[in-house]
Amino acid sequence: MDWQPDEQGLQQVLQLLKDSQSPNTATQRIVQDKLKQLNQFPDFNNYLIFVLTRLKSEDEPTRSLSGLILKNNVKAHYQSFPPPVADFIKQECLNNIGDASSLIRATIGILITTIASKGELQMWPELLPQLCNLLNSEDYNTCEGAFGALQKICEDSSELLDSDALNRPLNIMIPKFLQFFKHCSPKIRSHAIACVNQFIMDRAQALMDNIDTFIEHLFALAVDDDPEVRKNVCRALVMLLEVRIDRLIPHMHSIIQYMLQRTQDHDENVALEACEFWLTLAEQPICKEVLASHLVQLIPILVNGMKYSEIDIILLKGDVEEDEAVPDSEQDIKPRFHKSRTVTLPHEAERPDGSEDAEDDDDDDALSDWNLRKCSAAALDVLANVFREELLPHLLPLLKGLLFHPEWVVKESGILVLGAIAEGCMQGMVPYLPELIPHLIQCLSDKKALVRSIACWTLSRYAHWVVSQPPDMHLKPLMTELLKRILDGNKRVQEAACSAFATLEEEACTELVPYLSYILDTLVFAFGKYQHKNLLILYDAIGTLADSVGHHLNQPEYIQKLMPPLIQKWNELKDEDKDLFPLLECLSSVATALQSGFLPYCEPVYQRCVTLVQKTLAQAMMYTQHPEQYEAPDKDFMIVALDLLSGLAEGLGGHVEQLVARSNIMTLLFQCMQDSMPEVRQSSFALLGDLTKACFIHVKPCIAEFMPILGTNLNPEFISVCNNATWAIGEICMQMGAEMQPYVQMVLNNLVEIINRPNTPKTLLENTGRLTSPSAIPAITIGRLGYVCPQEVAPMLQQFIRPWCTSLRNIRDNEEKDSAFRGICMMIGVNPGGVVQDFIFFCDAVASWVSPKDDLRDMFYKILHGFKDQVGEDNWQQFSEQFPPLLKERLAAFYGG
């Protein structure tokens, strides 16, 4: 006998569904409580499915809502549904998937895929065969409903469908879907393509077996009248380009022609899908070869797509010029993620042009949705990187018309084009920049806010070139205008100007010193002017300024301007306010730059950081012990606080000693170093290294406890944690001297293993955009260990000398390199045999020094000449024949080698 509802119970459920559509929050609260009560009754879920599938007398929104509440119940506790209830729900879904209402069909589809993804695909063996069967129905609603459900299942469970667990149903499903590409209903055709598309990226075997039929069918639908179908065709071709380019190459010419048309489709969603094709193609090795002859058509299409649409302008309030007094709504503010402190070494490699800012290829944050403008700009950016100067003949004739166009929307798109190509076409653009930069600087005072903001962004993309010219030419006028824009009346312009100024600071570094007073006046004035969101960006601009000019900021006049507003903000913010993150990051840079100039402010800042660490640790402990009572803490508070403490230790040096003495930071650090979260450990080891340099007297008593923890963190799986732990060990060596001896064996083997790892990944330094090889840090620490305990480390010399030399040859002369090389010389003294086989590498590393201290140069001289005397003149001649000419010259000049 089929389940039937009790009339009174049904009325109760219907009343609940009606109430839950009320906007009143008090009513909503009552509804939530009522739901909790009703969920105690197992057959409440029967009522919900009954309303969804059988109660045709009710209005559709109420029936659909009943299904969505049921879906949430399935998500939360399907496992505890009694079997008769679960069976009734499944049966009802399959019997009613062809409901006359498309809203109800879609709701049943969502319910089916939710049950399926609760591990029920295996437990519901009749589901897929029945849905596939229903596709053959003459009734449109049944066919469309079944397809809708199948599409959702394909999206949610694509991996499972292509596994042995279910006996590979795709072998039947994919050929079945392909038959429907020719169906008379566009909705069904669209479902069919969308289903197959789910399996492209994972290269499902059943699809690969039918790949040619699939591509053939796609081509047949290329000029479909329905935009949804065209969109799915474009999406399929973009994915195939990534995973089965071999199958597309024979048809590439016509696919490119097709995509050129679709990128101009009158339906923006289709155009956007098609535009992705150029982004993906740019990453393929064949891009240049297949696309070169089409650039003449493609470039104007991309440029045209970079104009704001009318809807964009409405959404961006493009006609509102002054909005600085309007407070920000909280959802405008994106969450910020703090990057934990990473220890890095100065490095020789030149900075690559155009650093990490290539990502934000357009600055419409309010439209963070991906749209045609952003996609076109991104495509032009990547193509500029592929074709370089070859792009310009197609672009320059267009640019002139755009940049000086009377209509602001067109002019704005021209400025965006100029910014998008900055990285790829820099060399080719150089001849035009002396004329273009002044024009862009003029655009900074355009009457339209959206023109002013894009001009900020584009100018920041050419900052590298601006700084390479005499400062009075472009740097000074650009800086003057950008500072005015920082005080613009429009919030979007303030934001773009602040970000652009931060980029300029990174490029110009100490070139800004003469203008510091003027810069600080502007940034401090902005403090009083900015709303919430832009304040956070202002902190970043101030922090970057401190990083860029360093100790030049340590002048009483500058400190007087900068510190009062920062400390005022610091006092206003509560301990649990996330705005502390950017402010702490900013203060960390300022403290490091001001050095002793930060002393008057250090005590309250230090105390608060210690409190933040302590509070977070206490919260974490309570959460671990009683997870049901307490919330997990946000550990970012602790990470940012540890990093600011590092900044203080680095900036204040020995002056930090009294602060450390009066606090329990060493105890807290012991806990942080053992935290389960890698970023916490990473920041802890950075702080340990900085405290070791600044006030070892407080670190030394803890060494016996700390060293084993450092040893266990020498795990290259967490490369930043490992780097920071390695660096801290090196700093501890330099303070401990021979007393390091008991701890050498704890760390040496791991360090040797790390330095010998094949191609340790290159890490990009956050602050300089330079590449450094992380193995330089293990090399320095091994050298320092050898410097203080040569007898213990020297026997292993042969196991690390070659990677040691290659990883240090690119590091600039500095204190760390100096101590490491003294260590290697002392170890060679103990175990000269360990270096014999790799002596050429040692020679090369020695030659990388520009000006070693005299006593270090003597050590090099003795080793080189000792080796020469040992092997004899003839052998030495033969040996040095293998040297590259440059190495030979340097050794001869410096050491008479």
Side-chain angles (χ1 to χ4, degrees):
M1 177 57 192
D2 212 358
W3 179 87
Q4 288 298 327
D6 163 67
E7 190 50 44
Q8 197 185 347
L10 186 59
Q11 287 314 315
Q12 216 182 336
V13 170
L14 285 171
Q15 189 52 51
L16 181 72
L17 292 167
K18 292 274 186 287
D19 289 346
S20 68
Q21 294 171 58
S22 146
N24 182 329
T25 38
T27 314
Q28 285 297 339
R29 218 166 285 133
I30 295 166
V31 168
Q32 287 309 318
D33 293 343
K34 191 87 178 128
L35 273 176
K36 268 194 191 133
Q37 284 171 8
L38 288 170
N39 269 322
Q40 305 304 310
F41 302 102
D43 68 350
F44 172 49
N45 294 305
N46 285 1
Y47 282 92
L48 292 174
I49 190 78
F50 186 87
V51 174
L52 173 66
T53 57
R54 305 239 193 134
L55 218 54
K56 317 269 182 188
S57 53
E58 281 302 320
D59 60 279
E60 288 177 15
T62 302
R63 289 172 60 200
S64 172
L65 183 64
S66 183
L68 295 174
I69 292 175
L70 177 54
K71 176 208 70 162
N72 290 338
N73 282 353
V74 166
K75 245 188 172 149
H77 26 245
Y78 184 73
Q79 265 61 34
S80 57
F81 283 18
V85 173
D87 291 343
F88 180 62
I89 293 171
K90 289 178 183 173
Q91 208 40 58
E92 282 299 296
C93 284
L94 285 173
N95 291 346
N96 293 280
I97 192 72
D99 194 280
S101 146
S102 64
L103 176 63
I104 301 302
R105 292 198 299 275
T107 309
I108 294 175
I110 290 171
L111 189 50
I112 289 176
T113 188
T114 310
I115 295 172
S117 55
K118 292 300 283 185
E120 283 293 303
L121 259 180
Q122 287 99 317
M123 308 295 291
W124 193 357
E126 67 274 21
L127 173 64
L128 294 172
Q130 277 197 322
L131 286 176
C132 286
N133 241 347
L134 292 171
L135 296 181
N136 302 330
S137 168
E138 294 296 307
D139 173 51
Y140 167 78
N141 291 340
T142 305
C143 178
E144 195 279 324
F147 239 136
L150 279 165
Q151 184 180 332
K152 294 182 181 82
I153 294 170
C154 291
E155 285 167 11
D156 294 343
S157 310
S158 62
E159 279 180 32
L160 190 57
L161 290 171
D162 189 30
S163 70
D164 286 330
L166 295 176
N167 232 342
R168 304 211 171 261
L170 285 190
N171 295 339
I172 298 159
M173 289 163 69
I174 293 227
K176 180 98 184 164
F177 294 155
L178 289 171
Q179 293 167 11
F180 285 87
F181 277 40
K182 298 189 165 70
H183 197 277
C184 58
S185 149
K187 187 94 192 270
I188 305 279
R189 293 197 296 275
S190 181
H191 277 315
I193 310 169
C195 282
V196 180
N197 281 358
Q198 290 306 319
F199 303 101
I200 299 177
M201 294 311 283
D202 291 334
R203 297 181 165 82
Q205 195 50 52
L207 176 55
M208 294 302 128
D209 296 343
N210 289 282
I211 195 81
D212 293 328
T213 318
F214 176 44
I215 291 173
E216 224 171 279
H217 283 36
L218 284 175
F219 289 169
L221 291 176
V223 287
D224 200 282
D225 295 339
D226 184 77
E228 200 57 29
V229 172
R230 293 198 302 275
K231 186 178 97 176
N232 280 330
V233 169
C234 290
R235 184 172 291 172
L237 288 169
V238 171
M239 291 191 283
L240 286 168
L241 192 57
E242 245 180 274
V243 297
R244 286 311 299 263
I245 194 165
D246 57 314
R247 281 293 185 260
L248 298 187
I249 285 175
H251 315 283
M252 198 50 94
H253 179 77
S254 40
I255 294 174
I256 288 174
Q257 284 304 326
Y258 173 65
M259 285 298 189
L260 286 167
Q261 285 175 309
R262 289 288 71 83
T263 308
Q264 305 172 79
D265 200 287
H266 51 82
D267 183 301
E268 184 172 326
N269 292 322
V270 179
L272 178 56
E273 281 299 336
C275 194
E276 295 277 354
F277 182 82
W278 314 114
L279 270 178
T280 306
L281 184 58
E283 288 166 7
Q284 306 302 323
I286 61 156
C287 176
K288 227 173 165 170
E289 178 191 330
V290 297
L291 201 53
S293 59
H294 301 279
L295 286 179
V296 63
Q297 291 163 282
L298 174 60
I299 298 302
I301 294 172
L302 290 178
V303 167
N304 196 38
M306 287 164 74
K307 288 202 292 277
Y308 277 126
S309 68
E310 286 173 26
I311 294 175
D312 292 343
I313 294 168
I314 293 164
L315 288 173
L316 288 169
K317 306 191 175 65
D319 296 328
V320 179
E321 293 303 320
E322 286 235 357
D323 62 355
E324 63 174 350
V326 183
D328 296 329
S329 71
E330 285 310 301
Q331 62 264 36
D332 286 347
I333 298 167
K334 289 206 203 114
R336 292 188 32 137
F337 298 101
H338 171 72
K339 273 215 204 74
S340 308
R341 195 173 175 95
T342 315
V343 178
T344 47
L345 297 168
H347 197 269
E348 286 291 43
E350 267 309 295
R351 172 171 189 174
D353 261 359
S355 56
E356 55 289 345
D357 55 9
E359 297 310 312
D360 52 6
D361 225 334
D362 183 349
D363 63 348
D364 324 342
D365 274 344
L367 269 193
S368 52
D369 309 344
W370 193 232
N371 56 20
L372 185 60
R373 166 187 164 91
K374 292 191 165 188
C375 191
S376 305
L380 189 61
D381 180 4
V382 291
L383 289 170
N385 276 298
V386 172
F387 285 95
R388 304 279 167 188
E389 284 61 59
E390 294 166 41
L391 212 61
L392 293 178
H394 306 288
L395 254 178
L396 291 172
L398 296 172
L399 258 176
K400 199 114 182 136
L402 297 172
L403 288 170
F404 297 92
H405 201 281
E407 274 181 62
W408 76 265
V409 177
V410 181
K411 175 172 162 183
E412 193 277 346
S413 72
I415 300 172
L416 173 59
V417 168
L418 204 52
I421 61 167
E423 194 184 339
C425 302
M426 183 59 87
Q427 286 322 104
M429 287 305 294
V430 165
Y432 307 98
L433 292 179
E435 190 186 337
L436 278 174
I437 297 294
H439 176 65
L440 286 172
I441 292 175
Q442 229 177 330
C443 293
L444 286 174
S445 42
D446 193 276
K447 60 180 194 303
K448 292 304 285 185
L450 289 171
V451 174
R452 299 198 296 278
S453 63
I454 200 67
C456 290
W457 178 75
T458 293
L459 279 160
S460 76
R461 302 268 286 170
Y462 290 95
H464 189 73
W465 181 83
V466 167
V467 172
S468 70
Q469 305 299 301
D472 284 356
M473 292 280 293
H474 304 291
L475 178 62
K476 213 169 159 185
L478 171 58
M479 194 177 54
T480 311
E481 282 308 307
L482 264 183
L483 289 170
K484 284 184 197 160
R485 290 293 66 82
I486 285 177
L487 304 179
D488 199 278
N490 180 279
K491 291 195 287 193
R492 169 177 303 281
V493 179
Q494 295 171 356
E495 177 185 356
C498 248
S499 300
F501 196 71
T503 305
L504 186 63
E505 289 169 340
E506 284 175 355
E507 290 288 353
C509 293
T510 48
E511 296 273 339
L512 296 178
V513 172
Y515 317 107
L516 266 174
S517 183
Y518 181 41
I519 293 171
L520 287 169
D521 284 341
T522 306
L523 296 179
V524 168
F525 191 77
F527 257 113
K529 191 177 169 73
Y530 277 13
Q531 297 295 341
H532 187 181
K533 179 183 175 188
N534 287 351
L535 258 183
L536 308 184
I537 297 162
L538 182 62
Y539 293 143
D540 183 51
I542 291 171
T544 309
L545 179 68
D547 293 338
S548 302
V549 300
H551 65 91
H552 296 284
L553 200 56
N554 188 7
Q555 298 291 336
E557 168 203 359
Y558 302 151
I559 296 173
Q560 239 358 83
K561 288 180 199 269
L562 182 58
M563 286 310 296
L566 281 175
I567 294 295
Q568 188 191 336
K569 288 288 174 204
W570 169 262
N571 292 331
E572 283 169 17
L573 291 176
K574 299 210 168 45
D575 277 354
E576 39 287 333
D577 192 327
K578 284 198 165 69
D579 284 7
L580 273 176
F581 298 168
L583 180 54
L584 284 157
E585 284 174 34
C586 167
L587 279 170
S588 181
S589 297
V590 170
T592 309
L594 289 185
Q595 297 170 352
S596 59
F598 199 79
L599 270 173
Y601 308 95
C602 66
E603 183 133 8
V605 173
Y606 179 90
Q607 284 309 336
R608 185 166 194 183
C609 287
V610 172
T611 308
L612 282 169
V613 174
Q614 199 156 2
K615 272 189 179 175
T616 314
L617 284 171
Q619 236 178 312
M621 177 104 73
M622 302 217 291
Y623 172 70
T624 313
Q625 289 166 356
H626 308 285
E628 67 296 333
Q629 284 179 27
Y630 296 98
E631 277 188 21
D634 181 343
K635 288 188 178 173
D636 273 358
F637 284 103
M638 175 156 74
I639 295 167
V640 185
L642 289 166
D643 289 349
L644 176 43
L645 287 169
S646 279
L648 287 174
E650 193 182 332
L652 299 173
H655 295 295
V656 85
E657 188 272 322
Q658 294 152 345
L659 295 169
V660 175
R662 293 200 296 271
S663 71
N664 61 341
I665 187 65
M666 298 316 294
T667 318
L668 298 175
L669 198 50
F670 181 62
Q671 288 173 268
C672 293
M673 285 164 48
Q674 299 175 78
D675 197 271
S676 57
M677 189 175 179
E679 290 80 0
V680 175
R681 301 200 301 276
Q682 181 180 330
S683 293
S684 311
F685 296 137
L687 175 55
L688 176 60
D690 283 318
L691 290 175
T692 298
K693 287 171 82 167
C695 54
F696 189 63
I697 172 174
H698 296 298
V699 178
K700 194 169 182 184
C702 313
I703 289 298
E705 286 181 305
F706 284 8
M707 281 308 297
I709 301 174
L710 285 162
T712 50
N713 276 279
L714 297 177
N715 169 8
E717 290 310 301
F718 299 104
I719 189 72
S720 301
V721 179
C722 180
N723 262 341
N724 287 7
T726 305
W727 175 74
I729 293 167
E731 291 300 336
I732 290 168
C733 284
M734 298 312 288
Q735 301 289 341
M736 291 282 281
E739 289 179 63
M740 193 69 190
Q741 194 256 325
Y743 308 108
V744 173
Q745 293 318 318
M746 255 181 222
V747 296
L748 183 58
N749 287 339
N750 284 355
L751 290 171
V752 171
E753 201 177 312
I754 291 167
I755 201 175
N756 276 296
R757 284 189 68 168
N759 62 21
T760 322
K762 296 258 189 252
T763 52
L764 188 60
L765 296 200
E766 281 90 355
N767 50 356
T768 59
R770 294 199 188 97
L771 287 167
T772 181
S773 158
S775 57
I777 295 177
I780 282 178
T781 295
I782 290 174
R784 290 176 152 191
L785 270 172
Y787 178 60
V788 295
C789 301
Q791 297 296 339
E792 281 70 22
V793 186
M796 291 187 75
L797 196 54
Q798 201 174 340
Q799 293 177 42
F800 61 74
I801 184 72
R802 183 182 288 201
W804 190 93
C805 292
T806 46
S807 63
L808 287 186
R809 65 189 298 273
N810 295 327
I811 300 291
R812 280 198 207 127
D813 295 8
N814 64 19
E815 282 303 314
E816 293 172 318
K817 183 171 174 174
D818 178 274
S819 55
F821 270 83
R822 286 171 193 276
I824 213 83
C825 291
M826 290 171 73
M827 289 188 272
I828 291 171
V830 174
N831 175 18
V835 74
V836 171
Q837 286 177 321
D838 297 305
F839 199 69
I840 186 166
F841 290 91
F842 176 71
C843 296
D844 179 53
V846 166
S848 75
W849 276 89
V850 181
S851 47
K853 291 182 182 159
D854 289 345
D855 60 335
L856 180 61
R857 180 179 303 215
D858 288 346
M859 292 165 105
F860 293 157
Y861 185 89
K862 286 196 179 94
I863 291 173
L864 291 170
H865 283 273
F867 186 83
K868 194 172 169 179
D869 298 345
Q870 194 77 38
V871 297
E873 192 62 45
D874 292 352
N875 288 337
W876 175 259
Q877 278 308 324
Q878 270 180 316
F879 175 66
S880 60
E881 282 310 309
Q882 310 164 32
F883 289 5
L886 194 65
L887 174 56
K888 236 178 166 158
E889 273 169 45
R890 292 198 64 144
L891 287 177
F894 279 104
Y895 304 100

